[in-house]
Amino acid sequence: MDLLIKLQKIDRRIIYALVVVVLMLPLIFHPAGHPTLVTPEVHDAFDVIDQVPKDKMVILSSAWGPSTEYENGPQTAALMHHMLLKGIRFGIVSWDPQGAQLTYNIGNNLQTELHKQYGVDWVHFGYKVLIEAALRGIGTNLPKTMETDMNGTRLTDLSKLPVMKGIRDSRDIGAVVEISASGTLEGTMTYMTQPNNLPLLYCPTAVMSVEAYRYLDSRQLKGMLNSAVGAAQYETLIGLSSFTTPASVTTWALSTAHIFIIVLILLGNLGYFASKKAARRQGGEANND
Amino acid sequence: MRMYLYNLWSWTIGVRHGWTLAAFIVGGLLLGSLAIWLLMSVPTRYRKPIVIAVTFLGGLVLALEFFIGTPKWHPLTDFLPAYSSVQMVIAAFTLLLGLVNLFVIHGQSISKRSKGWGNSLAFFVAFFAILVAAFVKDYATAKAVSGSAGSVYAIFFLGFLTPLSSTMFSIIAFYIASAAYRAFRIRSMESALMMITASIIMLGLVPAGLYLTAWLPVWLSWLRLENITYWLLSGPNMAVQRAIAFGVAVGALAVGLRIWLSLERGSFFDKQL
């Protein structure tokens, strides 16, 4: 009984140390196992991207930075991987200054791996200030709103950026993907995708995903990749299920962390009930509320 | 007239290099200073009406652009990029305001040797180090000079700032684990329901959770964790989120109108400018 009562008073430093161990395990062993189950919203997202015509461009609207790199990074990589494999042109606009470099790095790494070329298969519009006028401008006049790419090349310079050939406004955009760690979805929906009737996909962090199901139900969102788990499911669809990827490692780190937290909650409650029982036996009230 | 204005704007915001760029920067600073000086010279009783008028016109442009026009005739749409640039300039001014505030607070902390003044000193060192590194890198890029300028900037930006941002966020994991252990007690039926739901969703979203109930036969597949999780998220959760969204939207509309029409009261809005 004493041991059970002690269970609700574990030193927080021990818990912190155990969190480190639990999170480190998948990072050390690099498991490749991807989820066998793919949820309908991930299937839908895959279908939307897969059916984008070759003469159109997919816009990746990226509003994340280093703090959520392990959730939004795998989502970005999975989508880019699919589009580079399929030969679908895409352009990234980053609403976060640090995120601009991170998304550019992801694209660079993938193009090397898949033998693709910047400016020909994809383009990065760099960091832009997220304001309504910019969101609306993408649909009305993309080259004029974005002006230059990440390296300062004019988007109208087709000799350096042939990927921009024929891309002018919403009629040349096949889909928009909002990869976000903050509340940017409503702005993109209101000012970019709905007025222009563009399909919108959403890649939020896990805590933000619960708010998005209402838009999936109303079909304002055509698909969603829920955190790194959604990215891992997407990778299953594009044939990466047997490879170790950041998404697979992150989902296993999440697995161990979630199980650890549930075990902690159970232990804390065991201790709580044991102490209540002990207090009742002694005829007193439990004083640990 | 419309085309003339549009061309004038396009010329103003065009990309420039070298001395022309320097002249535009100096010109911009002078114009900005003049605008601020003019605003500060306005008698106090007229300042608030000016702010009200600018706020109203700023909102009106977007509203008119949205409502006026047809698919072939949209007189204000071409000006959206220009409007976007104006917004960015205003946002840059607010950034400057924040910077001045930081300099004042940390400068005072150092001059008074207040507790933790070393942190204030670290702020100034970090600020000027990354500022100089970024300017040197941009200069080297513009002049196509190869060297270590870009590497120094990369060390600051990718080597310091990026991992520090990740670290700050990841600390939450430790607090969540500790807080869940200490605070999540089953004291009532509601807390029991919450704990069960949270546990199901935490397990149902990760691969390990899938393996826990993978042994269930097909006719009991609705009891698998992933299926219960999906039902919880797309059923009860969605209904609650939708109800919250309606409430928030109505509130936001009211607040938006109050700010646009300068009807807001209290705090800044009642102060003499």
Side-chain angles (χ1 to χ4, degrees):
Chain A
M1 186 63 86
D2 278 354
L3 181 69
L4 283 176
I5 293 170
K6 278 179 188 171
L7 279 178
Q8 63 171 343
K9 288 171 187 167
I10 302 172
D11 191 313
R12 74 162 74 91
R13 284 164 296 189
I14 296 172
I15 293 174
Y16 293 164
L18 287 171
V19 170
V20 172
V21 174
V22 158
L23 288 174
M24 285 292 284
L25 287 175
L27 301 178
I28 293 168
F29 294 109
H30 275 75
H34 280 61
T36 46
L37 173 105
V38 177
T39 50
E41 64 265 17
V42 177
H43 258 298
D44 292 344
F46 174 86
D47 290 342
V48 167
I49 296 290
D50 209 54
Q51 287 161 15
V52 169
K54 291 274 166 64
D55 61 335
K56 294 201 176 190
M57 176 177 263
V58 174
I59 301 293
L60 299 183
S61 167
S62 159
W64 60 275
S67 53
T68 57
E69 189 181 353
Y70 284 90
E71 290 195 87
N72 297 123
Q75 293 167 334
T76 311
L79 288 159
M80 283 185 185
H81 203 118
H82 184 196
M83 288 185 281
L84 287 173
L85 277 178
K86 193 94 200 288
I88 298 165
R89 292 187 282 176
F90 63 90
I92 311 154
V93 53
S94 181
W95 310 111
D96 181 291
Q98 290 167 275
Q101 190 61 50
L102 295 172
T103 44
Y104 189 67
N105 291 349
I106 292 172
N108 263 333
N109 293 339
L110 281 170
Q111 73 169 9
T112 312
E113 188 184 324
L114 301 171
H115 309 293
K116 299 289 178 176
Q117 199 182 338
Y118 178 80
V120 176
D121 300 292
W122 66 289
V123 64
H124 199 303
F125 303 126
Y127 162 63
K128 306 286 175 205
V129 180
L130 178 57
I131 46 178
E132 288 167 18
L135 290 171
R136 302 182 75 168
I138 289 175
T140 51
N141 193 334
L142 175 65
K144 200 161 271 179
T145 306
M146 295 288 118
E147 289 186 20
T148 57
D149 80 340
M150 180 102 173
N151 307 315
T153 309
R154 302 285 294 182
L155 297 182
T156 45
D157 186 351
L158 297 181
S159 61
K160 288 180 183 165
L161 296 173
V163 67
M164 289 303 295
K165 191 178 175 189
I167 305 297
R168 292 171 302 272
D169 51 36
S170 60
R171 287 167 297 181
D172 309 306
I173 297 172
V176 177
V177 187
E178 181 72 16
I179 309 167
S180 181
S182 54
T184 54
L185 176 68
E186 276 82 2
T188 305
M189 208 181 267
T190 310
Y191 300 110
M192 201 199 307
T193 55
Q194 288 191 181
N196 298 304
N197 202 20
L198 293 170
L200 175 63
L201 307 177
Y202 189 38
C203 300
T205 56
V207 287
M208 289 162 58
S209 65
V210 288
E211 294 173 20
Y213 282 89
R214 61 180 192 262
Y215 294 124
L216 284 166
D217 185 59
S218 63
R219 300 302 293 159
Q220 284 166 287
L221 284 179
K222 302 294 182 204
M224 179 170 80
L225 273 65
N226 180 353
S227 156
V229 180
Q233 292 177 6
Y234 198 92
E235 286 183 344
T236 303
L237 293 176
I238 58 173
L240 293 175
S241 57
S242 53
F243 295 91
T244 299
T245 63
S248 71
V249 174
T250 307
T251 48
W252 279 103
L254 281 173
S255 291
T256 50
H258 284 192
I259 290 169
F260 177 64
I261 289 174
I262 289 169
V263 169
L264 278 180
I265 293 171
L266 288 175
L267 288 178
N269 278 288
L270 274 176
Y272 172 68
F273 286 116
S275 64
K276 266 180 82 171
K277 200 173 174 184
R280 265 204 302 272
R281 268 192 197 157
Q282 289 165 9
E285 287 292 318
N287 58 354
N288 54 346
D289 276 4
Chain B
M1 179 65 180
R2 192 172 146 269
M3 270 318 289
Y4 174 75
L5 278 174
Y6 184 73
N7 289 336
L8 179 70
W9 181 260
S10 300
W11 176 82
T12 312
I13 61 166
V15 177
R16 287 175 176 82
H17 303 284
W19 287 109
T20 328
L21 175 67
F24 263 72
I25 291 173
V26 172
L29 283 172
L30 286 174
L31 274 175
S33 307
L34 181 69
I36 290 172
W37 179 77
L38 280 173
L39 279 173
M40 298 305 287
S41 321
V42 170
T44 47
R45 67 176 181 282
Y46 294 123
R47 286 183 192 170
K48 200 162 256 182
I50 290 174
V51 172
I52 289 171
V54 171
T55 308
F56 180 74
L57 285 174
L60 191 66
V61 170
L62 284 178
L64 287 178
E65 193 280 329
F66 188 81
F67 289 113
I68 292 180
T70 60
K72 287 188 178 173
W73 181 73
H74 34 79
L76 291 173
T77 308
D78 283 346
F79 288 98
L80 277 183
Y83 192 80
S84 155
S85 302
V86 171
Q87 274 189 295
M88 275 194 252
V89 171
I90 294 170
F93 269 97
T94 60
L95 196 70
L96 192 70
L97 195 69
L99 201 61
V100 169
N101 193 26
L102 277 172
F103 269 55
V104 170
I105 288 171
H106 289 290
Q108 282 175 351
S109 170
I110 293 171
S111 64
K112 289 179 185 169
R113 295 285 193 276
S114 316
K115 193 181 172 191
W117 67 274
N119 297 328
S120 298
L121 187 67
F123 159 73
F124 281 108
V125 172
F127 178 83
F128 285 108
I130 201 157
L131 185 78
V132 171
F135 276 132
V136 171
K137 187 207 84 158
D138 282 354
Y139 179 78
T141 310
K143 293 280 173 191
V145 179
S146 58
S148 55
S151 314
V152 174
Y153 176 76
I155 288 170
F156 282 129
F157 198 82
L158 297 173
F160 280 98
L161 190 60
T162 303
L164 281 172
S165 302
S166 300
T167 306
M168 286 299 290
F169 197 74
S170 64
I171 287 171
I172 295 172
F174 296 92
Y175 289 125
I176 285 178
S178 178
Y181 165 68
R182 279 169 213 293
F184 229 147
R185 295 284 185 267
I186 303 177
R187 292 193 171 95
S188 61
M189 179 59 90
E190 288 87 350
S191 58
L193 263 177
M194 192 172 167
M195 198 192 106
I196 292 165
T197 312
S199 302
I200 289 172
I201 290 180
M202 282 169 74
L203 287 173
L205 282 175
V206 292
L210 304 184
Y211 291 112
L212 286 177
T213 49
W215 52 271
L216 282 170
V218 177
W219 64 277
L220 278 177
S221 63
W222 58 278
L223 278 176
R224 286 182 187 169
L225 277 172
E226 65 271 23
N227 291 330
I228 300 176
T229 299
Y230 191 70
W231 177 80
L232 283 170
L233 287 172
S234 58
N237 163 67
M238 188 185 68
V240 172
Q241 293 292 342
R242 191 167 275 166
I244 293 170
F246 275 115
V248 170
V250 172
L253 191 67
V255 171
L257 270 176
R258 287 182 70 82
I259 291 175
W260 183 32
L261 301 174
S262 296
L263 297 172
E264 197 66 8
R265 292 286 170 265
S267 187
F268 156 81
F269 300 96
D270 279 339
K271 279 185 185 168
Q272 180 71 54
L273 297 178

